[in-house]
Amino acid sequence: MTWEVLSLIGTIAFAISGTIIAMEEEYDILGVYILGIVTAFGGGAIRNLLIGVPVSTLWDQSFYFIIALVSITIVFVFPTILSKHWDRWGNLSDAIGLSAFAIQGAMYAVELNHPISAIIVSAALTGCGGGVVRDVLAGRKPLVFRKEIYAVWAIIAGLALGSGVLSQSWQLYTLFTAITLLRVLSYTYNWHLPNKKWVPKT
């Protein structure tokens, strides 16, 4: 049950996130749907490639494709629902998608009895992969490559599940809430990782 709920939350959140960015970039209706779908399912496709699961398994998720299409349509047809708080809702939907898919990706690897390293990679790719593809297609610098904290939260989710400490549904939902909240706090208060600019010698 937890798996299905997290998949549903992540699909809706990332489909909305992709739709918002496509509309900000003034894509036509086809571009909006493509970016919304790619954002919702891109991370899972990349994860499957790297942990040895056939990518074709994505086509078995017809219910989630329908949910993604409905979510995209609602945002596209009724943009005023989000327009008053466009940036806030865009960031929030991305945070929710990151958290839900990171945990779902980690659970996927746990069920396949992969080592903790693979669980962490699965969490990071599932949580961040769709957003990276979305940003690249939209001509934006991917969030995961900025100094702003993003992928770290997915890695933490992978560590939490890979350690075997969390297994109960309420624990997973608590982790989901915590990761979402941490992501919201990180962009609200501009938390960031240290970085250094390369200055070539002249």
Side-chain angles (χ1 to χ4, degrees):
M1 182 63 180
T2 306
W3 173 281
E4 287 78 8
V5 172
L6 289 171
S7 295
L8 182 63
I9 292 172
T11 299
I12 293 172
F14 267 177
I16 290 174
S17 175
T19 304
I20 289 173
I21 287 182
M23 294 176 71
E24 285 181 338
E25 297 294 331
E26 299 182 357
Y27 284 16
D28 62 22
I29 186 169
L30 178 61
V32 169
Y33 276 95
I34 289 175
L35 198 62
I37 290 294
V38 165
T39 306
F41 297 98
I46 296 171
R47 174 204 65 210
N48 287 358
L49 280 172
L50 289 183
I51 66 173
V53 177
V55 179
S56 59
T57 57
L58 286 174
W59 306 122
D60 297 330
Q61 304 181 52
S62 57
F63 171 73
Y64 295 109
F65 274 98
I66 293 171
I67 291 297
L69 290 172
V70 170
S71 301
I72 294 166
T73 301
I74 290 173
V75 176
F76 186 80
V77 175
F78 304 105
T80 53
I81 295 174
L82 300 176
S83 62
K84 292 182 180 179
H85 305 286
W86 201 250
D87 292 335
R88 181 186 303 173
W89 281 107
N91 285 328
L92 179 60
S93 64
D94 191 81
I96 293 170
L98 168 70
S99 180
F101 273 168
I103 296 170
Q104 187 241 41
M107 290 171 62
Y108 203 100
V110 168
E111 289 192 0
L112 293 174
N113 294 316
H114 283 311
I116 189 169
S117 57
I119 294 170
I120 292 171
V121 169
S122 183
L125 288 176
T126 312
C128 305
V132 171
V133 176
R134 173 202 65 202
D135 291 341
V136 169
L137 291 179
R140 300 185 175 193
K141 183 184 294 185
L143 281 173
V144 70
F145 298 140
R146 299 179 189 176
K147 62 182 180 180
E148 181 180 321
I149 299 176
Y150 188 81
V152 170
W153 307 130
I155 292 171
I156 289 173
L159 280 169
L161 279 142
S163 66
V165 175
L166 306 180
S167 59
Q168 301 297 319
S169 293
W170 69 269
Q171 293 174 324
L172 296 176
Y173 288 129
T174 300
L175 178 63
F176 163 72
T177 303
I179 296 296
T180 302
L181 181 59
L182 286 168
R183 172 58 191 147
V184 170
L185 290 173
S186 68
Y187 68 69
T188 301
Y189 295 103
N190 196 30
W191 296 349
H192 61 272
L193 297 172
N195 70 326
K196 186 173 290 187
K197 184 178 181 179
W198 172 257
V199 180
K201 292 183 178 179
T202 56

